[in-house]
Amino acid sequence: MSSTPDLTGYKALSFDCYGTLVDWENGLIADLQPILSQLPPSHEWNLRPLTAVEHFDAHSRHLWKEKPTQLYEDNLAESFTLLAKEAGVSVVPSDVATGPSRWEPFPDTIPGLQKLQKHYKLIILSNVSNSLITSLQERYSNKPPYNFKFDAILTAEQIGSYKPSHNNFHYLFNHAKEEFNVDWKKGELLHVARSLDADHVPAKELDFPSVWISRGGDKPDKYGTGGNLEELNRENKLAFLGRWDSIGDFADEVERQFAAKEEKRE
């Protein structure tokens, strides 16, 4: 980014959850062990488990398009089966379908969200099912030491499609307007996400402002499931306003800007 955007004019933030707030890739690597353990140590997926995650994600994204109303639990289970077949190993029992309810938030997530909640309404826009994200929220929301709860949670199950479908973002826009009187067309809503393909590409297509939480994805060896930054830039598919390494770093910048604005008033 050439300059730091003004973050103080927004009334609400919308978030992708898995990959942005929750450590999706490392959680998934653990749940892919029933496949990886059947492969030799020298296999590329064991040498770089993120490669297995990338292949899994390719199967999952294909199913998003082919089966847009499929529950995310079923998407994960079917993607696991397809990955096992791709690897040429036995399809064995797996807990991957319940993974999103168990995977851990990044250490900076909850403290960062607590800071952001002082300034904005916070809305989740996730590709998971209602039950999975409800289970996650029950673990971490509004309980010591977290004392935090999202103002709204919107899922692919509610919407009937998966991001990057524009339908999901229009659902978000309508909900933000109806429930919080936040109008994205007036520049009152900002999207905060890790995934370039699923979030930032459609954001540019819709002229919807966004910021990138890169989580290391600005480095070629860590592109992972977030998308190929170099390729997408070359194709002019991205227009996020700024990049931060983590939600914690982003929240610190928000706090700095609001404090500076308050000082000017005094």
Side-chain angles (χ1 to χ4, degrees):
M1 61 187 174
S2 57
S3 61
T4 303
D6 181 3
L7 303 170
T8 63
Y10 300 100
K11 294 182 178 180
L13 305 178
S14 54
F15 295 85
D16 171 56
C17 185
Y18 293 90
T20 304
L21 307 177
V22 174
D23 192 352
W24 191 87
E25 290 177 346
N26 282 317
L28 187 55
I29 286 171
D31 282 348
L32 294 183
Q33 288 307 310
I35 292 175
L36 300 181
S37 63
Q38 296 182 69
L39 299 171
S42 59
H43 193 281
E44 63 171 330
W45 292 2
N46 278 319
L47 294 175
R48 183 179 181 268
L50 188 57
T51 302
V53 171
E54 291 166 352
H55 282 248
F56 180 97
D57 189 56
H59 291 302
S60 181
R61 288 171 182 264
H62 176 75
L63 291 172
W64 291 353
K65 296 177 181 178
E66 294 296 312
K67 302 179 180 181
T69 61
Q70 183 182 47
L71 284 179
Y72 195 57
E73 293 95 323
D74 298 331
N75 175 288
L76 292 172
E78 188 170 351
S79 298
F80 183 90
T81 297
L82 292 170
L83 188 71
K85 290 180 178 178
E86 179 186 351
V89 301
S90 301
V91 179
V92 295
S94 168
D95 294 329
V96 69
T98 62
S101 66
R102 294 180 283 100
W103 299 337
E104 296 291 334
F106 292 100
D108 60 274
T109 292
I110 300 298
L113 291 173
Q114 288 172 332
K115 293 177 182 178
L116 294 172
Q117 196 171 44
K118 293 185 290 184
H119 306 289
Y120 315 101
K121 295 293 185 182
L122 305 183
I123 306 169
I124 284 284
L125 180 67
S126 178
N127 272 351
V128 302
S129 67
N130 297 339
S131 62
L132 286 175
I133 206 158
T134 296
S135 296
L136 183 75
Q137 172 133 310
E138 287 175 350
R139 286 177 63 197
Y140 296 106
S141 295
N142 224 22
K143 295 178 182 178
Y146 304 108
N147 297 319
F148 170 81
K149 188 174 183 179
F150 281 98
D151 296 290
I153 295 178
L154 313 177
T155 69
E157 181 180 356
Q158 295 169 24
I159 300 166
S161 59
Y162 287 93
K163 295 179 297 180
S165 170
H166 288 191
N167 187 48
N168 294 59
F169 291 91
H170 287 300
Y171 189 96
L172 164 67
F173 301 153
N174 291 336
H175 189 92
K177 179 64 174 175
E178 291 172 4
E179 186 165 349
F180 305 118
N181 196 31
V182 170
D183 191 337
W184 77 282
K185 291 182 178 179
K186 294 180 179 178
E188 296 175 346
L189 179 64
L190 177 69
H191 195 52
V192 183
R194 159 72 173 92
S195 176
L196 299 174
D197 292 322
D199 290 273
H200 292 288
V201 169
K204 181 181 180 182
E205 292 168 349
L206 292 163
D207 199 23
F208 176 31
S210 66
V211 295
W212 187 29
I213 307 302
S214 58
R215 298 287 183 193
D218 53 314
K219 302 173 179 63
D221 63 328
K222 296 290 182 65
Y223 281 169
T225 60
N228 187 309
L229 176 64
E230 182 179 2
E231 181 179 297
L232 292 170
N233 271 331
R234 187 168 58 247
E235 296 171 352
N236 196 31
K237 291 185 175 181
L238 302 173
F240 50 81
L241 302 177
R243 180 190 74 82
W244 284 267
D245 290 328
S246 69
I247 288 293
D249 290 343
F250 173 68
D252 287 344
E253 175 59 23
V254 166
E255 293 266 85
R256 185 195 70 76
Q257 289 192 21
F258 274 100
K261 195 171 184 178
E262 189 62 30
E263 284 183 11
K264 287 183 179 180
R265 290 175 180 166
E266 294 176 355

